[in-house]
Amino acid sequence: MTKDLYVIGVDYGTDSVRSVLVNALNGQEVSSSVYYYPRWKKGDYCVAEKQQFRQHPLDYVEGLEQTVKDCLAQAGDKVPASAIKGISVDTTGSTPVAVDKTGTPLALLPEFESNPNAMFILWKDHTSVKEAEQINAHAVGFDTNYLQYVGGVYSSEWFWAKLLHILRVDEQVRNACYSWVEHCDWMTFLLMGGNDVMQMKRSVCAAGHKALWAKEFGGLPPEEFFSSLDPLLQGFTDRLFKDAYPSDQPAGKLSQEWADRLGLSTDVVVGVGAFDAHMGAVGGQIEPYYLSKVMGTSTCDMLVAPTEEVADTLVRGICGQVPGSVIPGMMGLEAGQSAFGDTYAWFRKLLLWPVQSLLSQSQIISPETAEALVQEISDKIIPELTKQAEQLPLSEEGEFAIDWFNGRRTPDANQVLKGAIFGLGLGSDAPRVFRALVEATCFGAKSIVDRFKEQGIPVKGLIGMGGVARKSPFIMQMMADVMDMPIRIHRSEQTCAIGAAMFAATAAGIYPRVEAAMAAMGQGFDAEYTPNPERTKIYAERYLQYQAHGALVEQETVLEKPAPTDVQEKVVRQNPS
């Protein structure tokens, strides 16, 4: 290969979408562009106290067009359109949406344009806790364990629980919903100009980790499994999919419409989509038995191992193990924490509330000045808390926290659980509480590693990626100390988008396997944190207390949880939430 060839990776995160234009021969990033979802930023269609988080498809469509066109504009004449060979997309997940027969999300139809139930149900939407519990109870009654490849516990963050909830609470959406589609699958379908949902190529990543798809079942669990759970699900398996595809394969070519909109050629190959952390693990140059941690609002932890070495080992309480979901030919195992950066953001918001509230009432300064001051203070809170927390002495005593502020993803998914802070006294100030919250997120990460080890999957080391990993040496050093193992930080600030670009290069035929793309396009590591033995000993003692406090929170949750009645069930079915 003598001529430069280029690919585009598109990474849909929780708050924004980022596109990168990359030289496929050496991984050099030519340009990048980010677009913050305007409707999401305003809080449209979300009700945090109900754990309802919805995103409008227009945020995704507008972001795709703007970021890709911006990347091309930045590159200018250096990168001719004819040299761009592939494009691949990753998204958060499980983030599904109701679609009609053409594969159009219902929220793009006039009659549903403002209906949150017709929009994408974001990964962290937990309105379907009841449905997840019912799926778990229902699965016990079958000879085949249909939850065996998703850790034995189905989560409210996933595909079927969200579908059942929407069908129950919204009759209009229920009547119009022909099929149910993951965000990563819809984006590739959109780029290809798809108009028949039954022709959509579904990602094995999304299908296996969230939708109970497995080759061992011949695809999805049988119709009876779902229709006997609730008659509202009757017939849905026939309107979904039987096959699923790894992301090194092409889904098709760019449609004429999107080629014109983006300024590209219809020869551009569109790769099969996947979830952000799975492609991010590839962008971060994952290695067998190294836990790849994408650390942002939540964490998604990926581990790959040769399929023959994992053999019949099934890890209980994780987010699934799916052949080929990360690297084709290897078993992909997923875990994660439902809140990581979100925990720190919650504390910042808590501290910022009086400033924001009082300044908004000020008669001395203008609303514009007040808004600018609030933003300036907000930007400084976490750095200053970090600076002060670093100076605190470490001992076995002090404030403790439990990191389940958005429920628990792994081990053993339970979105009903809540966060907690223990050991508060009159001497407990903001830096001490912040330090306890950081420690809790590190302890939550350790519980994931412990579960892999307990179930027979070794973890040799850690790979850190994402905003928190690159921006906070304090948190990363604590992570290494708590885990008692080194953590390498990947050089790239955009491992998910770069991973998507690697898959695009493979799908376009520039590389025969994604491992070859990873070797040629990888940017390497630029930092490593090693454990401090003295601090590791103290954290080991504190971790025991974290486990004890966590058990107490779980026990209290069980005691406080009321049993649903028949009347409550009817109310849930008849009233949207």
Side-chain angles (χ1 to χ4, degrees):
M1 291 182 286
T2 56
K3 282 184 11 179
D4 285 342
L5 303 174
Y6 298 88
V7 289
I8 296 171
V10 184
D11 168 39
Y12 280 91
T14 300
D15 301 321
S16 63
V17 55
R18 183 182 300 273
S19 292
V20 294
L21 175 61
V22 179
N23 186 322
L25 303 189
N26 56 24
Q28 179 186 3
E29 185 182 302
V30 178
S31 58
S32 68
S33 179
V34 63
Y35 176 88
Y36 290 90
Y37 313 133
R39 298 163 187 82
W40 171 259
K41 190 173 183 178
K42 290 189 294 183
D44 292 350
Y45 318 116
C46 298
V47 185
E49 58 269 26
K50 292 185 177 180
Q51 295 187 310
Q52 175 181 305
F53 298 99
R54 310 291 164 85
Q55 291 187 327
H56 201 289
L58 284 177
D59 276 350
Y60 298 155
V61 177
E62 293 164 2
L64 174 67
E65 183 169 7
Q66 181 160 319
T67 57
V68 173
K69 289 171 70 174
D70 188 33
C71 281
L72 297 175
Q74 291 178 49
D77 295 337
K78 292 185 298 183
V79 181
S82 60
I84 299 174
K85 300 301 180 183
I87 183 170
S88 286
V89 178
D90 72 67
T91 70
T92 65
S94 180
T95 301
V97 69
V99 299
D100 63 14
K101 287 184 178 182
T102 70
T104 302
L106 297 186
L108 292 180
L109 304 177
E111 61 268 36
F112 292 107
E113 62 184 357
S114 297
N115 185 339
N117 296 324
M119 299 174 190
F120 283 90
I121 317 298
L122 190 63
W123 62 269
K124 68 178 183 177
D125 185 296
H126 292 161
T127 52
S128 57
V129 167
K130 180 186 295 290
E131 286 74 18
E133 291 176 344
Q134 291 172 341
I135 290 171
N136 287 315
H138 182 67
V140 175
F142 288 79
D143 292 336
T144 299
N145 179 6
Y146 292 112
L147 306 185
Q148 61 185 301
Y149 300 112
V150 294
V153 182
Y154 203 77
S155 169
S156 65
E157 294 184 346
W158 298 349
F159 187 93
W160 286 102
K162 290 177 174 178
L163 170 60
L164 182 54
H165 179 74
I166 295 301
L167 295 179
R168 284 175 169 176
V169 302
D170 196 315
E171 184 178 0
Q172 283 187 305
V173 171
R174 178 169 73 239
N175 292 336
C177 176
Y178 182 79
S179 192
W180 191 243
V181 173
E182 281 287 357
H183 183 195
C184 65
D185 295 329
W186 184 68
M187 295 311 306
T188 58
F189 184 75
L190 177 73
L191 285 167
M192 292 161 50
N195 56 18
D196 178 359
V197 71
M198 298 310 296
Q199 299 301 312
M200 182 181 293
K201 277 196 168 182
R202 310 284 188 133
S203 160
V204 72
C205 170
H209 284 283
K210 313 302 178 187
L212 299 179
W213 183 94
K215 285 186 178 181
E216 291 80 358
F217 306 151
L220 296 169
E223 158 75 17
E224 181 196 1
F225 178 80
F226 300 107
S227 59
S228 60
L229 170 65
D230 192 308
L232 292 178
L233 292 173
Q234 188 167 351
F236 254 93
T237 53
D238 290 337
R239 306 202 300 272
L240 289 172
F241 55 94
K242 288 184 172 60
D243 299 316
Y245 304 86
S247 297
D248 63 337
Q249 294 188 17
K253 297 285 187 72
L254 196 63
S255 70
Q256 187 66 60
E257 178 191 352
W258 275 95
D260 293 342
R261 288 175 72 166
L262 300 177
L264 294 173
S265 161
T266 54
D267 291 331
V268 172
V269 172
V270 181
V272 173
F275 291 147
D276 48 3
H278 296 69
M279 284 191 170
V282 170
Q285 295 172 272
I286 192 170
E287 301 175 35
Y289 299 110
Y290 277 76
L291 194 64
S292 169
K293 298 180 65 64
V294 179
M295 290 175 269
T297 53
S298 67
T299 75
C300 197
D301 300 349
M302 304 306 307
L303 186 145
V304 297
T307 306
E308 66 276 10
E309 292 182 14
V310 175
D312 297 327
T313 301
L314 293 173
V315 183
R316 179 174 53 83
I318 64 171
C319 303
Q321 50 191 87
V322 180
S325 67
V326 182
I327 296 177
M330 286 197 179
M331 183 70 73
L333 298 96
E334 178 190 349
Q337 294 164 266
S338 292
F340 194 80
D342 264 354
T343 302
Y344 318 143
W346 163 79
F347 191 54
R348 177 180 60 195
K349 186 177 180 181
L350 190 72
L351 296 178
L352 192 63
W353 181 86
V355 176
Q356 196 167 22
S357 181
L358 294 172
L359 283 178
S360 69
Q361 302 171 38
S362 174
Q363 303 297 315
I364 302 173
I365 59 177
S366 68
E368 293 77 16
T369 302
E371 184 178 351
L373 280 171
V374 168
Q375 187 60 55
E376 181 182 355
I377 293 169
S378 176
D379 292 342
K380 291 180 178 179
I381 287 177
I382 297 298
E384 185 61 26
L385 284 171
T386 298
K387 179 181 174 182
Q388 298 297 326
E390 282 182 308
Q391 299 173 19
L392 295 172
L394 177 61
S395 71
E396 294 180 19
E397 305 304 321
E399 294 82 2
F400 281 89
I402 302 298
D403 57 312
W404 303 329
F405 283 80
N406 198 24
R408 184 179 63 206
R409 181 180 296 163
T410 313
D412 304 318
N414 187 341
Q415 259 59 60
V416 176
L417 295 173
K418 302 294 183 183
I421 303 173
F422 296 87
L424 295 176
L426 294 178
S428 299
D429 55 17
R432 284 177 168 80
V433 174
F434 176 70
R435 189 195 174 287
L437 292 172
V438 171
E439 182 188 62
T441 58
C442 292
F443 283 155
K446 177 175 169 55
S447 68
I448 293 171
V449 170
D450 287 353
R451 176 57 61 90
F452 276 118
K453 290 180 175 179
E454 290 164 3
Q455 300 285 304
I457 303 294
V459 178
K460 295 180 179 178
L462 308 171
I463 296 174
M465 298 173 291
V468 177
R470 291 202 56 78
K471 294 176 184 176
S472 182
F474 169 63
I475 296 174
M476 291 303 97
Q477 183 60 57
M478 188 183 294
M479 182 77 72
D481 293 340
V482 165
M483 296 281 208
D484 194 17
M485 63 174 62
I487 178 167
R488 289 181 290 163
I489 308 302
H490 200 269
R491 185 184 306 276
S492 174
E493 295 186 3
Q494 299 159 161
T495 49
C496 294
I498 294 294
M502 291 175 179
F503 276 107
T506 310
I510 298 172
Y511 295 101
R513 299 168 66 235
V514 73
E515 292 96 320
M518 191 162 50
M521 299 171 67
Q523 298 178 16
F525 303 85
D526 62 359
E528 182 171 2
Y529 298 88
T530 56
N532 178 316
E534 293 182 6
R535 299 178 75 84
T536 292
K537 290 179 183 176
I538 298 174
Y539 282 124
E541 293 299 321
R542 289 181 64 84
Y543 182 61
L544 296 176
Q545 297 184 59
Y546 167 84
Q547 291 176 306
H549 286 105
L552 179 63
V553 171
E554 286 199 76
Q555 182 180 3
E556 290 297 318
T557 302
V558 171
L559 292 174
E560 293 175 5
K561 184 179 175 184
T565 65
D566 291 340
V567 173
Q568 288 173 325
E569 287 291 340
K570 291 177 182 177
V571 170
V572 169
R573 285 174 177 271
Q574 294 170 2
N575 294 283
S577 61

